[in-house]
Amino acid sequence: MTSYFEFTNPTKLCSGKGAADNLEYELEILGVLHPMVLSDRVLEKIGTLGIVLDALHTVQPGRVFTDIPRDSSIDVVNRIAREYREFGCDGLIAVGGGSVLDTAKGVRLLISQDADDLLDLMGCECLPRGKYVPFVALPTTAGTGSEATPVAVIKNPSLHIKMEYISQHLMPDVAVLDPRMTMTLPPRITASTGMDTLCHAIEAYSCMQKNPISDAYAASAVRLVRDNLVKAVRRGRSKETRMALANASYLAGAAFGNSMVGVIHAVGHALGGVCHIPHGDAMNILLPAGMIFNRKVCRDAYGELLLYLAGPEVYQATEPSKRADRSIREVIHLRKQLHELTGLPLTLKEAGADPGLFPQVAKTALNDGACIVNPREVTFEAVMKILEKCYE
Amino acid sequence: MKRELMNQADRIVLEVLYRSFRVLYRKDSRVRKEIDGWADDLTLKLVCGFGGAVLVVRHDREHGIVKLKRAQKADITMRFKSVEGAFQVLSGQKSVADAYAEHLFFLEGDIFQTMSFVRCVEYLEGYLFPGFMSRRILKELPGKQIPALEVYALALLENGN
């Protein structure tokens, strides 16, 4: 753990049954009259967006934009910011998964800094707040935790990379976790996004920026995933399990938003950019290999996590020197269960990755900011070994 | 007074850093490979706190890097929040990774390109600091392709402009 840390979490959390019904009030408090609503076509089609629009009542959206792809890009963000100005909007509502939420963060950045191109605003913790743009996030997956992080990951299609923007001014004013938002998630996506949450929590608990506050958030997230992920995959209509996973995602997001993530995410981002592997799938595939890579410097942290991964009985019954290994086995066991239930890929081969692209993946991963806070030095050779190990 | 001393020390170490970078560009294949991968004419600025020492360099195909007069805006700027924070890194008390983790500096520009610069600094730290210091601050010792004394000697002879 470092000798100094910072922790930021200014977002108001509205979590639970009917949370979206308070949206009109939250917008009034923020002074929003004509918000821009961002979402995607699927959420529009299945009615999730409709629930939010209905909850606006007297608030008239200035613009509803649903043409956001799965991996949003700089061009999409720039285009939406232009429309925000053209339609005279005065705030942002993001209804969606990580791509929609990160797109909204990018738009907020452009509007607040009075800029036209996201490429002009690259950096880490370098921007002043600028013009205030009210921002409400309603996540529709329980995985990215983007509603609680100062990070936006946005694709740069010309370079085939996912670019990271880090600023406390990206964080939403309000995050609304309503079980209706995630109720219709298919089991396969529930599993994939749930493993993304687990990966956020485990990396947050073991990376260089870990601190007592982020540890508390991360440990709670791991416990909620342990108790609810398989249940949610089996019985998706359970409001309790959906809420538990939404809360876990938020907690893990707040944890890694402050203590950052490491090699698993660095390689996962690169696999997304180069091989187009969905982020949650990549996290599921890489998690055990990444833990094994970091084990020699994270033994204590992984050992502590066993309490949350397996519960007090298992923790108590396991010798302290064997707890880290047992934690990794618990993760492997969870992956196996999810694979049997949903077919979630366990290898990069199953996920359709081309091994011929691995050198490019490794080169891209090394330049990901997450490598710098990984507790163990990440080299090209080490990433290649992880990729080869995860291939089949 | 203490702050002014740190400022002076930061200035000296930045000069050593600059000269050693040029030496390693010629003598260390890893550093050369990293720098050759930078965009043509990429400018990089290191600012050691408000009112502190500044180093601005541009990528140069012949020498690796060349020093510039203070540029208003560089492609990549690493700005330490305080003279004290910069001193901790430049005096070998903390690695760049520690400094990042402790929010001692912030970054303007492309994080992807900055990671290559960070790796170069880590190679450099492996040469410039004695083993006991490098072992304490670096996650792994990067290894040396020439003796550290040679780097120091060549850096002394290096053109500082």
Side-chain angles (χ1 to χ4, degrees):
Chain A
M1 200 172 287
T2 57
S3 57
Y4 169 86
F5 73 89
E6 294 179 1
F7 191 92
T8 310
N9 187 17
T11 303
K12 175 178 177 180
L13 178 62
C14 304
S15 174
K17 193 180 165 195
D21 298 336
N22 296 330
L23 195 52
E24 190 182 19
Y25 163 79
E26 296 299 339
L27 291 171
E28 188 184 324
I29 292 292
L30 294 171
V32 180
L33 297 171
H34 300 294
M36 181 179 223
V37 181
L38 301 179
S39 191
D40 64 40
R41 292 258 167 81
V42 174
L43 292 166
E44 186 179 25
K45 194 174 164 189
I46 64 175
T48 308
L49 176 61
I51 295 169
V52 178
L53 294 177
D54 287 348
L56 291 178
H57 299 293
T58 56
V59 176
Q60 286 294 316
R63 172 90 169 112
V64 179
F65 189 101
T66 57
D67 197 14
I68 297 176
R70 194 177 72 182
D71 279 327
S72 187
S73 68
I74 287 168
D75 299 336
V76 173
V77 172
N78 291 346
R79 185 177 136 211
I80 295 172
R82 280 197 299 275
E83 292 202 10
Y84 181 99
R85 292 181 179 114
E86 280 168 23
F87 285 86
C89 300
D90 58 3
L92 288 162
I93 300 174
V95 184
S99 180
V100 172
L101 266 56
D102 285 4
T103 298
K105 288 176 174 180
V107 173
R108 187 190 214 192
L109 205 56
L110 283 173
I111 303 296
S112 67
Q113 302 299 319
D114 204 18
D116 296 319
D117 189 351
L118 211 50
L119 285 172
D120 295 334
L121 302 175
M122 289 188 295
C124 173
E125 299 182 13
C126 62
L127 294 168
R129 191 182 81 167
K131 182 183 158 195
Y132 175 55
V133 181
F135 175 23
V136 179
L138 294 99
T140 58
T141 61
T144 68
S146 183
E147 68 278 10
T149 75
V151 184
V153 181
I154 295 165
K155 196 170 177 179
N156 183 337
S158 58
L159 297 178
H160 302 291
I161 57 171
K162 289 191 169 184
M163 302 177 67
E164 277 182 319
Y165 290 81
I166 304 174
S167 167
Q168 67 189 77
H169 307 308
L170 292 177
M171 299 181 77
D173 297 296
V174 180
V176 178
L177 308 184
D178 187 312
R180 289 173 291 177
M181 297 293 109
T182 53
M183 201 63 88
T184 52
L185 273 180
R188 169 76 170 64
I189 296 177
T190 302
S192 175
T193 51
M195 288 305 285
D196 189 19
T197 294
L198 184 64
C199 198
H200 288 153
I202 290 176
E203 290 215 283
Y205 199 88
S206 53
C207 278
M208 282 175 70
Q209 261 173 290
K210 80 192 243 78
N211 61 68
I213 319 296
S214 66
D215 279 358
Y217 280 74
S220 296
V222 172
R223 187 177 54 77
L224 286 170
V225 170
R226 175 197 79 199
D227 290 342
N228 295 283
L229 181 53
V230 173
K231 279 186 201 166
V233 167
R234 285 195 171 124
R235 292 189 300 113
R237 304 301 296 182
S238 160
K239 281 182 187 162
E240 289 71 28
T241 54
R242 288 296 186 190
M243 272 321 298
L245 287 183
N247 287 328
S249 176
Y250 179 90
L251 286 162
F256 93 82
N258 285 280
S259 61
M260 290 298 151
V261 282
V263 66
I264 301 167
H265 271 78
V267 180
H269 290 154
L271 278 168
V274 178
C275 299
H276 311 292
I277 308 283
H279 182 68
D281 291 7
M283 295 299 98
N284 181 58
I285 294 165
L286 295 166
L287 183 53
M291 289 178 79
I292 289 166
F293 173 72
N294 278 333
R295 179 171 48 189
K296 79 174 192 183
V297 289
C298 292
R299 196 166 274 284
D300 291 348
Y302 291 163
E304 288 164 19
L305 278 176
L306 182 62
L307 178 63
Y308 310 99
L309 278 165
E313 289 82 11
V314 174
Y315 180 83
Q316 189 68 31
T318 309
E319 274 182 48
S321 64
K322 293 180 178 162
R323 284 175 184 157
D325 293 338
R326 180 65 193 260
S327 285
I328 297 170
R329 286 207 302 278
E330 289 295 327
V331 170
I332 291 170
H333 176 65
L334 176 60
R335 280 181 2 136
K336 195 170 166 231
Q337 279 182 290
L338 295 173
H339 175 73
E340 283 163 4
L341 287 167
T342 69
L344 193 64
L346 294 173
T347 64
L348 289 172
K349 190 176 183 181
E350 286 173 47
D354 174 3
L357 293 172
F358 286 175
Q360 194 187 335
V361 173
K363 205 175 156 196
T364 306
L366 281 188
N367 287 332
D368 192 292
C371 283
I372 198 169
V373 286
N374 191 69
R376 192 176 164 195
E377 188 68 32
V378 182
T379 61
F380 179 85
E381 293 75 21
V383 176
M384 284 300 289
K385 264 189 190 166
I386 290 174
L387 290 168
E388 281 156 14
K389 196 172 178 176
C390 290
Y391 184 65
E392 56 187 347
Chain B
M1 185 62 191
K2 191 180 162 195
R3 193 183 171 91
E4 189 45 41
L5 280 174
M6 284 181 183
N7 225 336
Q8 289 298 339
D10 285 348
R11 269 193 195 95
I12 293 165
V13 180
L14 280 186
E15 184 62 30
V16 174
L17 195 80
Y18 168 66
R19 290 174 179 224
S20 306
F21 246 109
R22 285 167 62 103
V23 171
L24 289 183
Y25 180 71
R26 297 195 301 271
K27 300 287 184 182
D28 189 306
S29 60
R30 300 162 304 177
V31 173
R32 188 174 191 105
K33 192 176 167 193
E34 290 288 353
I35 294 178
D36 282 347
W38 296 359
D40 283 342
D41 295 325
L42 177 88
T43 51
L44 206 146
K45 189 172 177 179
L46 267 174
V47 183
C48 300
F50 291 95
V54 179
L55 173 68
V56 193
V57 298
R58 177 173 53 78
H59 178 215
D60 176 82
R61 287 276 162 205
E62 189 181 348
H63 303 288
I65 54 171
V66 290
K67 205 191 282 181
L68 298 178
K69 301 283 178 200
R70 288 190 181 204
Q72 283 298 308
K73 187 156 172 65
D75 297 317
I76 295 170
T77 299
M78 278 174 79
R79 191 183 297 269
F80 283 90
K81 292 179 183 171
S82 69
V83 172
E84 290 80 359
F87 181 74
Q88 286 181 47
V89 174
L90 295 177
S91 61
Q93 295 171 57
K94 279 190 165 65
S95 65
V96 179
D98 286 329
Y100 178 79
E102 296 187 14
H103 304 267
L104 294 186
F105 67 82
F106 56 92
L107 178 74
E108 293 166 31
D110 185 0
I111 296 174
F112 267 64
Q113 295 208 59
T114 309
M115 290 300 290
S116 174
F117 173 70
V118 169
R119 285 193 291 276
C120 288
V121 171
E122 287 180 347
Y123 292 133
L124 194 62
E125 285 173 330
Y127 286 100
L128 295 185
F129 298 132
F132 74 92
M133 283 172 80
S134 306
R135 268 190 292 277
R136 192 165 44 83
I137 62 169
L138 296 176
K139 295 173 200 168
E140 274 169 33
L141 286 182
K144 296 171 189 166
Q145 294 186 357
I146 59 168
L149 272 177
E150 193 179 334
V151 177
Y152 273 110
L154 290 171
L156 268 177
L157 300 171
E158 188 68 29
N159 183 352
N161 295 315

